[in-house]
Amino acid sequence: GMAEDLQIILVSVDPARDTPEKLYDYVRYFNEDFTGVTGEFLDLHRFATQLNIPFSKVPGGGENYMMEHSANIAIINPKGHYVGFFRAPINLPKLNIGYQTIRATRG
């Protein structure tokens, strides 16, 4: 199982449409222990790109535009340092082993 001190954060890639209320409902759909984060588009874009989880707005579509994003999972240690990322598609047994290895080797 996952450690008690693990924190899962879902970051919005569409702050123009993701109100805090919508984000709250969306995150709770996955797990009520997860945390949702939003902010200014450019800040989120820079943050996601630095974590190897790029996203972009698909040109056209008017108000019904689409967002393209990766399903990679970034790992950040308790000190706030970027450790790496798991590439999508996610394989749960591999993810679990990788996570346990990171915890064992990096403390």
Side-chain angles (χ1 to χ4, degrees):
M2 293 294 176
E4 288 287 313
D5 59 356
L6 175 67
Q7 186 176 17
I8 307 287
I9 299 174
L10 300 182
V11 180
S12 170
V13 297
D14 189 9
R17 292 189 292 199
D18 286 345
T19 63
E21 294 76 22
K22 275 188 191 169
L23 194 58
Y24 177 80
D25 289 340
Y26 182 75
V27 169
R28 282 182 70 85
Y29 170 80
F30 288 99
N31 188 312
E32 60 184 28
D33 293 332
F34 292 3
T35 300
V37 172
T38 187
E40 294 296 323
F41 182 87
L42 289 175
D43 292 335
L44 294 174
H45 194 268
R46 193 176 305 116
F47 175 67
T49 302
Q50 288 172 341
L51 298 180
N52 289 298
I53 310 180
F55 67 87
S56 60
K57 188 172 173 179
V58 179
E63 288 182 17
N64 298 316
Y65 62 87
M66 300 285 290
M67 298 298 295
E68 281 185 354
H69 63 86
S70 141
N72 292 347
I73 298 175
I75 308 297
I76 298 169
N77 73 16
K79 295 183 180 123
H81 302 145
Y82 176 66
V83 174
F85 69 100
F86 292 107
R87 190 180 301 280
I90 301 301
N91 171 310
L92 280 178
K94 278 188 187 167
L95 176 71
N96 224 340
I97 291 166
Y99 176 74
Q100 299 302 340
T101 304
I102 288 168
R103 286 200 69 101
T105 57
R106 299 184 187 244

